[in-house]
Amino acid sequence: MIGFRALVVALGSVASVSAIGSPFGFARSTTGGAGGTQVTPTTTAQLVSYLSDSTTRTIILTTMFDFSNYYGTTTGTICKPWSCSPNPQWMIDSSNHWCDSYASTKTTGTYYNSGTSTSYALKVGSNKTLLGQGSSAGIKGIGLLIAGVSNVIIQNINIVDIKHCALCLGWRRYQHSGLFARLWVRIQFDTRRAKLLTVKTGIDHNYIKNVGRQFIVTGFDPATQVTISNNFFDGQATYSTGCDGHHYWVALFAGKSDTITFARNYVYYTAGRGPHTGGTSGYYQWVHITNNYFNNISGHAIDSSTGSVVLVEGNYFNSVTTPSVSGSAGNEYFITSSSHVSTCTSTMGRTCQANTLASSGSVSHANTAVLTTLESQSAVVSYVPMAASAVPAFVLANAGTGKIN
């Protein structure tokens, strides 16, 4: 059970290749570039063009494309908001002069422009599959921007060493605190303009590392029918907000009406918000967090805030200080007991699974309003979660690149 059905065709061949059979969860009807043309870019310029145009296509990456210096460099003010040591993250100053609050650490630095804003991201058009060959293909120094489009699959690629974001789905105004000068990666769903709707997106079997802030962001307009599955979020970093080598802030799901499946991912060596959901009154996010392996988390894993409706089941938390933030404003049903399982199973009409908390903190979130809200969502009801005890072995065997071909 890999979710996105495994590729049997060797990607090195010239024969037409489709990325997957069909995703599961909220993105289950996503087909990406299936039925369109197939291309294998050899230059960064070709990749930019293939991704951004309106042609239905599967784009096969056979190597690492380095965009670090694609947009040149800027010399400007940087500062250290964190006073810990060693190796706190540096931050690039923003238009609101964030660094003035840390005047004693202000200095001048030169940094790549790639990844410092959505203007310097790889824009992805509708009906695209971006598919990596083997285990080492991908993009470096820049993130992907999926903005107001539909039917996109990102699969089996490495996304590394970016200041801003790796996968950005629906980004509008969350840059008020400036951008980090080191290690910011994101996949972003961009919704900077009013009522941009991003629909049908599958993010599967990718490896993301060296991040300054969120790995994945949905922004503030709707990101619907999204599945984030079988990814390896590697939080080990030289620079971090806590100076402990743990990356802070895995994902932000904050759209006006997000529907997201977050399943079978490996969240490793992070410090918080993996994911953070909600935060805006009047918005809602329906999120199913299931069968993920959270390992060695020095802070918290899940943070459900205002407007979010989150079902957490069948996950394995190992050495997680705080599996879910207490006293949060969101609606969360975090299954920890047989009675929780029974209530969920009765409401959903299928077997639910308890989470396992191994050498981890306790959780007491069991808001049954989550179940009554999500019982009408076939993406949640039709998913059959594995027992949490099986999750570590499954995730370690399947998450990340090089596992599907």
Side-chain angles (χ1 to χ4, degrees):
M1 182 173 61
I2 299 179
F4 281 59
R5 290 199 292 271
L7 281 174
V8 178
V9 179
L11 295 181
S13 67
V14 181
S16 179
V17 174
S18 294
I20 41 80
S22 56
F24 63 92
F26 279 110
R28 63 195 181 281
S29 61
T30 303
T31 58
T37 61
Q38 177 182 306
V39 294
T40 303
T42 58
T43 67
T44 52
Q46 284 181 337
L47 179 54
V48 170
S49 176
Y50 292 153
L51 278 173
S52 61
D53 68 16
S54 59
T55 301
T56 300
R57 61 162 58 95
T58 294
I59 303 163
I60 298 176
L61 302 187
T62 59
T63 188
M64 182 69 74
F65 288 79
D66 191 346
F67 284 86
S68 299
N69 199 31
Y70 189 78
Y71 290 106
T73 62
T74 291
T75 298
T77 300
I78 61 175
C79 61
K80 289 188 290 186
W82 297 278
S83 58
C84 59
S85 66
N87 301 327
Q89 284 181 302
W90 288 79
M91 188 180 74
I92 300 170
D93 203 9
S94 63
S95 58
N96 65 359
H97 303 294
W98 172 274
C99 282
D100 287 350
S101 298
Y102 308 96
S104 63
T105 69
K106 284 173 60 174
T107 186
T108 299
T110 299
Y111 48 87
Y112 294 124
N113 290 321
S114 294
T116 57
S117 75
T118 53
S119 298
Y120 299 128
L122 289 179
K123 297 176 177 61
V124 182
S126 294
N127 306 311
K128 296 288 194 296
T129 293
L130 181 61
L131 175 64
Q133 174 179 310
S135 60
S136 59
I139 57 174
K140 177 181 179 180
I142 202 167
L144 298 170
L145 178 63
I146 304 170
V149 298
S150 65
N151 199 29
V152 173
I153 293 173
I154 309 297
Q155 188 176 54
N156 198 48
I157 67 171
N158 297 278
I159 307 173
V160 298
D161 300 339
I162 313 169
K163 291 181 291 299
H164 188 191
C165 70
L167 279 165
C168 314
L169 298 87
W171 188 250
R172 183 171 66 194
R173 62 175 184 268
Y174 216 82
Q175 297 175 33
H176 64 278
S177 60
L179 304 175
F180 288 82
R182 291 185 181 272
L183 310 180
W184 192 316
V185 185
R186 176 158 45 210
I187 296 174
Q188 181 165 318
F189 295 72
D190 190 332
T191 54
R192 291 169 294 163
R193 294 164 293 280
K195 297 183 180 178
L196 272 181
L197 177 65
T198 302
V199 183
K200 295 184 180 180
T201 305
I203 301 165
D204 180 69
H205 281 99
N206 302 293
Y207 175 82
I208 308 177
K209 181 177 173 61
N210 289 349
V211 182
R213 204 62 164 171
Q214 301 95 342
F215 288 104
I216 296 180
V217 174
T218 64
F220 294 90
D221 282 329
T224 65
Q225 296 174 257
V226 175
T227 294
I228 301 165
S229 57
N230 300 298
N231 299 288
F232 183 175
F233 299 106
D234 189 349
Q236 283 190 302
T238 301
Y239 301 89
S240 64
T241 60
C243 300
D244 61 355
H246 288 74
H247 165 71
Y248 181 75
W249 207 333
V250 176
L252 170 63
F253 304 149
K256 189 174 183 179
S257 54
D258 291 350
T259 53
I260 299 170
T261 301
F262 189 82
R264 307 173 190 171
N265 300 291
Y266 186 33
V267 182
Y268 176 64
Y269 221 80
T270 62
R273 295 180 173 176
H276 173 91
T277 61
T280 302
S281 179
Y283 287 13
Y284 71 85
Q285 303 79 32
W286 293 347
V287 183
H288 189 197
I289 299 175
T290 182
N291 289 154
N292 301 284
Y293 183 23
F294 296 89
N295 187 20
N296 198 336
I297 313 297
S298 61
H300 64 272
I302 298 170
D303 181 7
S304 303
S305 190
T306 302
S308 59
V309 176
V310 184
L311 174 60
V312 187
E313 63 167 332
N315 302 281
Y316 197 100
F317 297 83
N318 182 61
S319 297
V320 178
T321 302
T322 306
S324 183
V325 176
S326 63
S328 58
N331 299 304
E332 185 178 307
Y333 197 86
F334 191 111
I335 301 179
T336 58
S337 67
S338 58
S339 63
H340 292 162
V341 170
S342 178
T343 300
C344 177
T345 298
S346 176
T347 304
M348 293 299 190
R350 53 91 167 155
T351 301
C352 298
Q353 297 288 347
N355 300 288
T356 292
L357 305 176
S359 301
S360 300
S362 61
V363 180
S364 57
H365 298 316
N367 188 333
T368 56
V370 170
L371 303 179
T372 55
T373 297
L374 296 182
E375 67 175 326
S376 63
Q377 299 302 304
S378 60
V380 179
V381 174
S382 64
Y383 182 84
V384 181
M386 72 184 86
S389 60
V391 166
F394 177 89
V395 168
L396 291 177
N398 289 288
T401 58
K403 306 295 179 67
I404 58 170
N405 62 322

